[in-house]
Amino acid sequence: MKNTIFPNANHFQIPRALYVGAWKVWFKRFSDHGSWRQGTMPIINSDDKLYQLIESHKRFSVQVLNRLMVPWAYRDTEQVNQAFFLMNVDMVKRVKGDDDSTVYARLTDQALDYWDGLTYLEQDLFTAYAEARIQADIETPSQEPVVIDDAGLALIGEDIYPPIIPEKNAPDEAYAEALVAWIDEDPFTPMYQRLPAGESVSSWHDRLQAFFWPKPRNGLMQVSHSADALMYRAQILAEGIESSIPWTEEDKDMAVKTAHEIFLQAGVPQKDVTWENVYHVMQASISADPNSTAKMNSGWSLLASFSTHWLNNHDNRTPMLCWNSRVATSVISRLDFLMVEAGYTSLEGRFPHIGTVPGVGGTRPREYSLQWPDGYRSWKTQVAASEFVNLMVRCLNNSRNEDGSLKYQPMPIPTGGSAPWSIQGVQLVLFSDGY
């Protein structure tokens, strides 16, 4: 018992522990949590698109669960059929309901025994990975939004007026400084399923300390612990590319495994995770190539960020930001307001490549006054957004009060102490701000 296989997704595989964890999470979020072990879930044989299944109230189904486990390219196609049950006979089985019109499924005894044999730490890890599938950007081949979270959408305004409004034609650094000052003073309440998940805080320092993913129990320390190992491996591979050292077979295997684990942690499974595709993304990332044809979406953008963290505070280098819907929403919604207050009625060629990323949930989408371009899967947007947020990083690290002291607290380190702000620390604050 190693992997769960999805034959209709080109035989994509996930760890069996992730599937059991997802089953448990689906009962917790959409049914009776206490009955997940012996409980049954409707199968729902359907080739409807994922958003249609959600709109018809089918989220508590094996069909929707399976669709969220596979990469985005397969999420609008049938993922529960005879082959799925035959290939996963020791994981899930069909059972009859009280009426003949609905067919259900439940976990097998072997699957439950396997789960019980895991440590509590392993169980917590895989339920967190499953929760991430719900909380992450849910991409599909369709342009229609998918809202799996049971809280639905909310549109809210900002809490305070920005303390700094730049002059209309001020340099980009002035807009970055204004955005940093606004976020620092704006009260922030951590939110989970659109409900408060902690006390309100302010300042970049306290916002980062309040970060969690994908649920409140997984705070900054837990997230950093798992991310650090992935960043370390990504750095080794990226430095090899930087030094023009050919990858060995071991490097190629590590590249594929590292990428898969990054996508797993973020809840954004990808197809075509080959060593060549990982190489091209890393190569484009360390060179900040806006014309790259390498893979790009919310998942590959995170790989780009992990692969360039070692470039923080290097002169004339641009560590990559993870430009997903939450980060894009935070930056663009605030930049949009600042520009309008500064006198813009259209973008007028300003920030031409900073573009939107589709995403719904929490307070997304937000209304903009200006017509921002589409930045989805765009390396031009990836690089331009990274360059702008790096201006914010420099502002956080270098702005000083009249007495010469630092204006902003240094970045908190999960194990204690502090360090200069990095683009990875800033993007976590923006990620929460863009919920």
Side-chain angles (χ1 to χ4, degrees):
M1 182 179 288
K2 183 178 181 182
N3 291 327
T4 300
I5 303 170
F6 299 89
N8 277 14
N10 196 28
H11 291 81
F12 181 75
Q13 300 183 28
I14 64 172
R16 295 285 172 107
L18 175 58
Y19 196 83
V20 180
W23 190 277
K24 189 173 187 290
V25 166
W26 249 249
F27 272 83
K28 172 188 173 184
R29 295 292 295 273
F30 311 126
S31 185
D32 174 19
H33 188 204
S35 64
W36 74 272
R37 294 179 67 91
Q38 306 300 327
T40 59
M41 189 184 302
I43 290 176
I44 310 296
N45 294 109
S46 174
D47 58 3
D48 286 350
K49 297 182 186 302
L50 180 57
Y51 82 90
Q52 294 172 321
L53 292 169
I54 303 302
E55 288 181 351
S56 58
H57 308 290
K58 301 292 197 314
R59 64 186 177 184
F60 183 66
S61 66
V62 180
Q63 184 66 240
V64 170
L65 188 157
N66 283 11
R67 300 275 189 103
L68 266 293
M69 294 301 107
V70 300
W72 67 271
Y74 306 108
R75 285 177 170 172
D76 279 345
T77 57
E78 167 78 54
Q79 291 302 327
V80 185
N81 57 9
Q82 177 72 5
F84 172 75
F85 286 101
L86 288 175
M87 289 188 172
N88 301 286
V89 66
D90 55 353
M91 173 58 57
V92 62
K93 63 181 182 180
R94 285 172 290 200
V95 295
K96 285 282 189 179
D98 294 333
D99 60 86
D100 293 332
S101 62
T102 305
V103 181
Y104 296 83
R106 58 156 292 182
L107 293 177
T108 64
D109 291 341
Q110 297 101 305
L112 293 170
D113 288 344
Y114 171 74
W115 180 258
D116 291 340
L118 299 175
T119 65
Y120 289 131
L121 181 62
E122 291 170 319
Q123 291 176 0
D124 283 347
L125 182 65
F126 281 103
T127 53
Y129 288 157
E131 184 89 13
R133 291 296 215 271
I134 298 174
Q135 299 294 337
D137 286 353
I138 300 177
E139 299 182 63
T140 72
S142 171
Q143 296 300 311
E144 297 294 328
V146 176
V147 186
I148 185 68
D149 199 306
D150 53 337
L153 299 179
L155 295 177
I156 62 171
E158 306 300 343
D159 294 307
I160 67 165
Y161 189 78
I164 299 173
I165 300 295
E167 294 294 328
K168 182 178 179 181
N169 296 319
D172 292 355
E173 288 83 355
Y175 282 88
E177 180 184 0
L179 209 156
V180 166
W182 188 6
I183 291 177
D184 194 64
E185 292 194 13
D186 200 1
F188 170 73
T189 302
M191 302 291 286
Y192 175 67
Q193 296 179 240
R194 277 183 54 209
L195 298 174
E199 297 296 323
S200 292
V201 298
S202 61
S203 83
W204 282 84
H205 177 278
D206 290 356
R207 278 174 174 252
L208 182 54
Q209 285 195 319
F211 177 83
F212 63 83
W213 173 259
K215 54 186 177 180
R217 235 169 13 104
N218 294 77
L220 181 63
M221 179 174 290
Q222 289 84 353
V223 172
S224 298
H225 177 73
S226 56
D228 284 350
L230 298 175
M231 286 188 178
Y232 171 73
R233 296 206 298 269
Q235 177 178 346
I236 291 174
L237 294 165
E239 286 181 332
I241 297 174
E242 172 97 339
S243 302
S244 299
I245 300 173
W247 279 0
T248 65
E249 290 303 314
E250 184 179 356
D251 291 332
K252 294 173 183 178
D253 290 341
M254 183 167 70
V256 171
K257 188 173 182 180
T258 299
H260 273 303
E261 289 182 16
I262 289 171
F263 302 146
L264 178 64
Q265 183 186 71
V268 287
Q270 303 294 323
K271 68 169 189 172
D272 301 329
V273 184
T274 64
W275 76 263
E276 293 94 342
N277 283 334
V278 175
Y279 186 98
H280 292 319
V281 169
M282 288 187 171
Q283 186 178 49
S285 301
I286 60 179
S287 61
D289 181 5
N291 300 310
S292 174
T293 58
K295 294 280 188 179
M296 177 48 58
N297 61 15
S298 296
W300 295 100
S301 182
L302 183 60
L303 175 63
S305 178
F306 275 40
S307 302
T308 56
H309 74 96
W310 52 285
L311 297 177
N312 276 290
N313 301 312
H314 280 51
D315 291 338
N316 302 316
R317 300 301 294 271
T318 304
M320 289 288 110
L321 172 75
C322 178
W323 191 248
N324 55 36
S325 75
R326 295 192 186 196
V327 175
T329 293
S330 172
V331 172
I332 292 178
S333 64
R334 292 182 181 275
L335 196 53
D336 182 271
F337 189 89
L338 290 171
M339 291 177 69
V340 169
E341 292 299 290
Y344 284 92
T345 56
S346 69
L347 288 176
E348 300 178 20
R350 193 75 189 260
F351 305 112
H353 299 304
I354 293 183
T356 61
V357 175
V360 292
T363 66
R364 292 162 293 135
R366 296 180 190 173
E367 295 181 358
Y368 305 138
S369 298
L370 308 177
Q371 295 297 314
W372 294 86
D374 177 11
Y376 184 45
R377 299 177 183 165
S378 165
W379 273 96
K380 282 185 169 60
T381 288
Q382 172 67 33
V383 173
S386 297
E387 289 173 344
F388 179 76
V389 175
N390 270 288
L391 295 178
M392 296 172 61
V393 174
R394 286 199 280 275
C395 177
L396 282 164
N397 286 330
N398 299 312
S399 296
R400 295 187 177 273
N401 298 308
E402 291 183 0
D403 63 2
S405 61
L406 284 172
K407 185 174 181 180
Y408 301 105
Q409 289 178 270
M411 183 175 70
I413 301 300
T415 53
S418 60
W421 283 91
S422 67
I423 200 166
Q424 285 72 32
V426 168
Q427 79 188 16
L428 295 184
V429 173
L430 297 174
F431 182 85
S432 297
D433 186 65
Y435 171 71

